[in-house]
Amino acid sequence: MQRSYPVKKLLILVPESRQPYSGATGHNGGHLKSGSYAFIAKLAQKYGLKAAAEVVDFGSANVAAVADFIRQEKIDRDFRRLKEGYENLVAVGIESTKATFYAPEQHAEQLSGIKGAKGRFSYTAGHVRPYKLIHHLFADAIAQGVNAQTNTSSTSISSSHGTWVIETPRGKIHANQVTMATNAYTASLLPEFTDKIIPY
């Protein structure tokens, strides 16, 4: 005999210092691209081809994943494909770089529209409107029961008796699990990341 048990509803609270899309994430250029040459070449020299390949493949997969998500969610044709970049690491075995195209000097000026161009490099990238994307994500999350509290800054985080305690000007939040979405400024709440995650 099978016995069914009620599923405990997951309660999710999102404290946001300002508005859900008021920070840089909601206002930046929305460029989605995975560097497939200069930065990756440096990684290959320092950490080896396998590690460099993992980084470029991860970036390429994210561009595709965001595009698929926007199409699936029908976010008003928010994704536009574009090309920028360079073919450099195919010879050393990084698969993602095979999708990169290099135009030599004799064609660079015509293709790029830049007088005196010495070369033109391109690879698959994308562009989204961050405000629209974040608005869609929050609206969908709230519709599913997520509790979003704007103008609520998290000032500290600590653990107590097996739970997490987040201090805010409006009071304390107690949680079994915490997901940090503080981007470059994580160290303001978790000092151990001071020399590991550095703002640009």
Side-chain angles (χ1 to χ4, degrees):
M1 175 179 174
Q2 289 186 336
R3 181 177 296 178
S4 61
Y5 296 91
V7 177
K8 187 176 181 180
K9 185 177 180 181
L10 184 65
L11 301 177
I12 300 175
L13 172 68
V14 179
E16 167 59 52
S17 293
R18 296 178 294 274
Q19 296 301 312
Y21 15 77
S22 60
T25 303
H27 289 106
N28 65 21
H31 301 298
L32 296 171
K33 59 182 182 178
S34 175
S36 60
Y37 56 103
F39 173 65
I40 303 302
K42 291 179 182 178
L43 286 182
Q45 289 178 345
K46 189 171 183 179
Y47 300 106
L49 289 176
K50 184 178 179 181
E54 288 178 1
V55 171
V56 72
D57 288 345
F58 178 78
S60 298
N62 272 274
V63 173
V66 172
D68 289 343
F69 174 79
I70 289 171
R71 292 190 193 100
Q72 177 184 331
E73 295 293 315
K74 299 178 181 177
I75 309 179
D76 194 23
R77 298 184 180 181
D78 198 38
F79 183 82
R80 290 185 289 162
R81 299 190 73 82
L82 41 100
K83 289 180 177 285
E84 291 177 356
Y86 171 55
E87 178 185 0
N88 184 18
L89 297 181
V90 174
V92 291
I94 295 183
E95 289 295 319
S96 294
T97 312
K98 292 180 179 179
T100 304
F101 173 74
Y102 168 68
E105 185 174 354
Q106 61 265 36
H107 304 296
E109 185 172 316
Q110 179 183 357
L111 291 173
S112 67
I114 300 174
K115 187 173 180 61
K118 301 299 181 183
R120 182 180 184 272
F121 317 111
S122 64
Y123 59 88
T124 301
H127 175 265
V128 299
R129 295 180 182 88
Y131 182 92
K132 184 185 294 184
L133 177 60
I134 295 171
H135 182 278
H136 177 91
L137 292 172
F138 260 98
D140 188 53
I142 291 169
Q144 295 186 53
V146 170
N147 181 356
Q149 294 294 320
T150 56
N151 300 307
T152 305
S153 299
S154 299
T155 56
S156 70
I157 180 171
S158 60
S159 59
S160 176
H161 304 293
T163 63
W164 293 99
V165 180
I166 298 95
E167 296 274 358
T168 80
R170 298 172 59 192
K172 296 180 180 180
I173 301 169
H174 296 265
N176 293 325
Q177 296 182 24
V178 174
T179 298
M180 303 294 292
T182 43
N183 213 347
Y185 299 94
T186 299
S188 64
L189 291 173
L190 300 176
E192 58 266 37
F193 288 97
T194 297
D195 59 346
K196 297 176 177 65
I197 303 176
I198 303 170
Y200 291 109

